[in-house]
Amino acid sequence: MTGTEWNLDRTHRSSSGEVRWAALGAPDAPPVVLLHGTPFSSYVWRGPARALAGRHRVFVWDMPGYGASEKRAGQDVSLAAQGRVFGELLDAWGLTGQGAEPAVVAHDFGGCVALRAHLLHGARFRRLALVDAVALAPWGSPAYRLLGGHAEVFGQLPQGLHRALVREYVGSASAVGLPDGVLERLVEPWCGAEGQPAFYRQIARNDQRFTDEIEGRYGEIALPTLLCWGADDSWIPVERGRELAARIPGARLRLIEGAGHLVQEDAPAELGVALSEFLG
């Protein structure tokens, strides 16, 4: 992938549907896997992925029900399912053997996915970086809970009104404002006959029990851990980052000034430097 292109050119048939993924960098370089959150896709990692690919083999993927991956009625897109699928992908990529463990960088609910894979399914990582991560209850904004609690109603909105709602919701993740082209790229997968119901489906399938199952085990994490947090995150306030860092032994918290929840878009250079230093 070069220039402004972002194309996940490979597929994996997972237990929750077809997953689109790609790999950047030299095949023999140390592996790094990037996990996106909701309602985003791997597109938010395009800048850091290309920067890290100079020294790493970088794996990016759209979770089932997100981005370019399969979306369908009845699909299990819960955080529990995503944690299982992540483990399946690690195995498919050959990143499960002794010495093959990847570093993992996870944003938003990708943090919960990575933590569940590690604590519940035995996935082994070399290092873990959590970026504005969903990990501590309670989580989910009032808007998020409203949409999830009335998914069938909102799913019937006229397409234009739905698109406007998603634009406003996604845009609120940035503290400085998203360029129109970036915002449209993030909104587009959630529109149309396939995307609109998928948007409300993924919210309806997730709730606090998926972090409740692991929250008491963060003290078991025994690998180098970095937390990066947008100092102006209005979705998950920085106080949650401080609390999470205190629960993970040896974890370091790095605040990124001027950035909201979408640190990748608000402060890509600062985040890139923090990740490069941590990953080595």
Side-chain angles (χ1 to χ4, degrees), residues 38-41 44 147 163-175 177-178 182-190 199 202 235 261-262 265-266:
T38 182
F40 312 113
S41 69
V44 299
L147 295 172
R163 179 182 284 271
L165 183 154
V166 178
R167 278 181 58 91
E168 184 68 22
Y169 182 60
V170 171
S172 69
S174 168
L178 298 173
V182 172
L183 182 56
E184 280 303 311
R185 183 66 183 262
L186 294 174
V187 168
E188 189 59 37
W190 299 121
F199 177 76
Q202 53 90 18
W235 283 23
H261 188 67
L262 268 180
E265 304 294 344
D266 288 357

Side-chain angles (χ1 to χ4, degrees), residues 9-255:
D9 58 354
R10 308 186 194 188
T11 61
H12 171 76
R13 176 56 61 177
S14 80
S15 57
S16 285
E18 185 178 88
V19 170
R20 298 291 296 271
W21 67 279
L24 297 75
D28 58 348
V32 176
V33 183
L34 307 181
L35 282 70
H36 67 81
T38 182
F40 312 113
S41 69
S42 63
Y43 181 72
V44 299
W45 283 119
R46 65 198 181 283
R50 290 172 176 138
L52 292 172
R55 299 176 62 186
H56 303 272
R57 180 66 164 175
V58 182
F59 294 84
V60 291
W61 58 296
D62 285 352
M63 298 184 192
Y66 293 78
S69 290
E70 182 179 355
K71 305 176 186 71
R72 56 176 167 78
Q75 185 179 22
D76 188 354
V77 294
S78 67
L79 288 167
Q82 305 293 4
R84 292 192 299 269
V85 170
F86 182 36
E88 295 170 17
L89 282 169
L90 291 175
D91 187 57
W93 292 333
L95 302 181
T96 56
Q98 184 70 32
E101 299 91 343
V104 171
V105 181
H107 175 244
D108 186 75
F109 90 173
C112 178
V113 172
L115 290 166
R116 288 181 65 89
H118 179 60
L119 294 170
L120 300 182
H121 305 302
R124 298 178 62 181
F125 309 148
R126 181 167 50 86
R127 288 173 172 262
L128 176 63
L130 299 171
V131 182
D132 296 74
V134 170
L136 297 174
W139 52 269
S141 66
Y144 186 91
R145 292 191 292 270
L146 176 66
L147 295 172
H150 303 278
E152 293 184 1
V153 175
F154 284 102
Q156 298 178 50
L157 287 174
Q159 291 189 12
L161 188 55
H162 165 76
R163 179 182 284 271
L165 183 154
V166 178
R167 278 181 58 91
E168 184 68 22
Y169 182 60
V170 171
S172 69
S174 168
V176 300
L178 298 173
D180 283 343
V182 172
L183 182 56
E184 280 303 311
R185 183 66 183 262
L186 294 174
V187 168
E188 189 59 37
W190 299 121
C191 296
E194 180 184 75
Q196 182 167 340
F199 177 76
Y200 301 107
R201 183 185 308 126
Q202 53 90 18
I203 299 177
R205 291 301 300 264
N206 285 312
D207 62 46
Q208 188 175 300
R209 72 180 186 275
F210 298 117
T211 51
D212 289 345
E213 291 174 355
I214 57 173
E215 195 171 318
R217 298 184 59 182
Y218 295 156
E220 301 174 21
I221 298 173
L223 65 157
T225 303
L226 172 69
L227 277 67
C228 293
W229 223 272
D232 297 324
D233 188 342
S234 62
W235 283 23
I236 309 179
V238 70
E239 288 74 18
R240 292 297 178 84
R242 293 191 177 98
E243 182 180 352
L244 182 59
R247 294 196 186 195
I248 300 175
R252 294 187 293 113
L253 174 64
R254 182 159 178 169
L255 299 185

